[in-house]
Amino acid sequence: MSLTRKAYVIFVTVIVLGARENCSATRAVTTKALLSTSLADEYYAYSNVVDIRSFGAKGNGVTDDTNAFKAAWQAVCSKASSTLHVPATHSFLVGPINFSGPCKSKIIFELYGTIIAHLNPKSGASNLWVWIGFSKLNGITVVGNGVIDGQGAPWWKLSQYDNMESDDYGDSLLSVKPTALRFFGSFYVTVQGITIKNSPQFHLKFDTCTSVKVAGVTISSPANSPNTDGIHVQETSDVEIHHSSISCGDDCVSIQTGSSGIRVHNINCGPGHGISIGGLGKDQSKACVSNVSVYDSNIQDASNGVRIKTWPGGFGSVKGVTFSNIQVSNVGTPIDINQFYCDKTTCRNQSSAVYVTDVTYQKIIGTYVDRPIYLACSNDIPCTDLKMIDINLKPAVAYQKDPFCLNSYGQSTVDCLRPGRPQNDPSRAQSHGDAC
């Protein structure tokens, strides 16, 4: 090879290597900027960066890359201080997958590309609970500006068959549809910066986790997409969800039984069904939710604002809840407690109910299209210690309904709540087994 040819090869090699190093540095800076301060300080210790393409992923949106993701996860899980990198400008087709631990140390999952669901409800993926799962991990961070696309439209179209028996629609019941991204049995979970869209059912779910942080996340699906809750929290404690935008076909944030120490703030919600606690107590079950704060958020074009919903016949309690500084616009019912919640055609009326107490509504301001306040509480287990302060709700349409308060006790600047406590005080009426 001539000297000129050698010099040219060396020159091109230096350019390519420099470009790769620059790309890697840019990726690292972007990730660190997205992370919270405490996590960013740890970020550069994660020296073992694994690019999903090094395990054979094509990222062309056509080839099934599921096995490449499985192999890459095994590699990062078995090494200390590892990062799994999903690069930008690529679309990875992935089927059902569970990234399971325990792993050697904390893991960062960098998502800058797009992950597309390789699921079909008519060909073997029916009755699937989860598409992408993370489980049994002690320290997992999913961060980036990439996209998780659940391709939910085929599932939504089949939702009309949800209440049918298996003989009515092939061999499967389509009432079970996959959650796009679920974390189970894990500690120190962070989800930051990513977009999750068009999930067949829930978009982001935390089940039996501790110490969860969600920030800067965008969740999006059509308003008529059924049961597509934005963020679903159950049996989970120490949770902060903030500075995120959620539009979906169900609750923007859904807080379920076993959840405590939940902080939700600076959320932009709508369309959807608002920010909800429940439904709780289904099938006469015990439900416990406590220490929930929802504040500094906007809800618009939603059927509900902030609500608590419990099934007839349940037991347990919801207590220590604050909704404050909530701006609503064109919301059906901004303030809602319903102890007779039922998403079926008919539900049998029962005497027991989940006890709702110590709930504060402060500075709920804006416009409604149906009724400003709806508090439907049980005669046997009334709602107590409710507080309404600085409530300023005005109709967005000419026709409107008056506030409705049934068996609801507390203090209010709105002429609705009954003062004092009921004669059949639920705090004394509940048996030891009913209490949380």
Side-chain angles (χ1 to χ4, degrees):
M1 184 182 293
S2 66
L3 184 60
T4 303
R5 175 65 176 166
K6 287 181 181 179
Y8 175 77
V9 170
I10 292 171
F11 175 72
V12 171
T13 302
V14 168
I15 290 177
V16 171
L17 290 175
R20 287 181 178 175
E21 289 178 1
N22 184 59
C23 180
S24 178
T26 301
R27 171 194 62 77
V29 170
T30 303
T31 298
K32 188 174 182 182
L34 283 168
L35 290 170
S36 63
T37 303
S38 59
L39 286 170
D41 290 340
E42 299 178 16
Y43 174 70
Y44 283 123
Y46 287 71
S47 56
N48 179 43
V49 179
V50 174
D51 191 312
I52 190 67
R53 293 170 297 181
S54 65
F55 284 84
K58 303 301 181 184
N60 57 19
V62 178
T63 305
D64 187 342
D65 290 322
T66 307
N67 288 334
F69 273 81
K70 290 179 179 178
W73 178 258
Q74 291 300 318
V76 298
C77 185
S78 62
K79 294 182 180 180
S81 304
S82 294
T83 297
L84 177 56
H85 177 62
V86 181
T89 72
H90 291 73
S91 295
F92 299 89
L93 197 65
V94 178
I97 190 168
N98 183 38
F99 300 111
S100 182
C103 294
K104 192 167 184 179
S105 68
K106 298 178 181 179
I107 291 177
I108 291 178
F109 190 106
E110 282 187 338
L111 177 59
Y112 288 98
T114 298
I115 300 177
I116 302 173
H118 190 27
L119 306 170
N120 187 336
K122 293 185 178 180
S123 61
S126 59
N127 280 334
L128 175 68
W129 289 96
V130 180
W131 169 34
I132 300 174
F134 289 86
S135 62
K136 301 177 182 178
L137 297 168
N138 188 8
I140 174 66
T141 296
V142 177
V143 61
N145 55 20
V147 177
I148 293 175
D149 185 350
Q151 299 282 296
W155 301 83
W156 307 333
K157 290 178 182 178
L158 294 172
S159 289
Q160 61 184 305
Y161 301 101
D162 279 359
N163 295 321
M164 291 186 176
E165 300 297 330
S166 58
D167 290 343
D168 292 320
Y169 191 79
D171 297 324
S172 63
L173 287 172
L174 293 170
S175 57
V176 178
K177 297 181 282 291
T179 290
L181 179 60
R182 178 197 186 219
F183 295 85
F184 173 77
S186 297
F187 299 84
Y188 305 106
V189 178
T190 298
V191 180
Q192 194 149 351
I194 68 171
T195 293
I196 309 171
K197 67 179 185 178
N198 297 331
S199 178
Q201 194 160 261
F202 305 151
H203 286 78
L204 176 58
K205 183 176 183 179
F206 301 96
D207 187 349
T208 321
C209 294
T210 302
S211 296
V212 172
K213 294 185 182 300
V214 179
V217 167
T218 299
I219 291 174
S220 175
S221 64
N224 62 351
S225 56
N227 304 119
T228 53
D229 295 52
I231 301 176
H232 188 88
V233 179
Q234 68 182 50
E235 301 290 349
T236 293
S237 61
D238 185 19
V239 177
E240 184 177 17
I241 302 168
H242 64 100
H243 291 91
S244 295
S245 179
I246 304 171
S247 58
C248 59
D250 212 297
D251 298 327
C252 292
V253 179
S254 172
I255 300 167
Q256 298 294 325
T257 186
S259 298
S260 63
I262 313 296
R263 302 175 305 285
V264 179
H265 61 95
N266 296 98
I267 299 297
N268 189 50
C269 165
H273 295 181
I275 298 174
S276 299
I277 297 174
L280 303 174
K282 187 176 182 180
D283 298 325
Q284 300 180 332
S285 62
K286 182 176 181 177
C288 299
V289 173
S290 62
N291 300 324
V292 176
S293 297
V294 179
Y295 56 97
D296 297 349
S297 294
N298 297 315
I299 302 174
Q300 64 277 333
D301 303 320
S303 60
N304 302 85
V306 289
R307 68 171 173 167
I308 299 171
K309 47 185 177 175
T310 71
W311 287 77
F315 59 101
S317 67
V318 176
K319 61 182 179 181
V321 177
T322 300
F323 301 107
S324 62
N325 197 24
I326 308 295
Q327 180 75 44
V328 297
S329 177
N330 293 315
V331 167
T333 305
I335 297 174
D336 188 340
I337 297 177
N338 187 359
Q339 285 185 305
F340 304 95
Y341 176 74
C342 175
D343 65 0
K344 300 177 181 178
T345 304
T346 58
C347 285
R348 185 167 60 91
N349 193 18
Q350 301 183 56
S351 59
S352 63
V354 176
Y355 179 31
V356 178
T357 185
D358 187 18
V359 180
T360 298
Y361 301 89
Q362 184 170 16
K363 201 176 180 183
I364 314 296
I365 297 172
T367 60
Y368 63 92
V369 296
D370 183 30
R371 189 190 300 269
I373 299 169
Y374 181 81
L375 307 180
C377 297
S378 164
N379 181 61
D380 297 283
I381 310 292
C383 302
T384 65
D385 293 323
L386 307 181
K387 299 180 184 68
M388 294 192 183
I389 307 164
D390 296 334
I391 307 300
N392 187 1
L393 297 168
K394 299 185 181 301
V397 294
Y399 171 76
Q400 74 275 354
K401 299 175 184 176
D402 294 330
F404 175 83
C405 294
L406 174 68
N407 301 315
S408 307
Y409 293 80
Q411 305 171 19
S412 175
T413 54
V414 179
D415 186 17
C416 190
L417 294 177
R418 294 185 182 183
R421 298 185 66 85
Q423 290 183 347
N424 55 330
D425 192 332
S427 62
R428 295 194 300 267
Q430 282 194 316
S431 68
H432 179 71
D434 293 342
C436 292

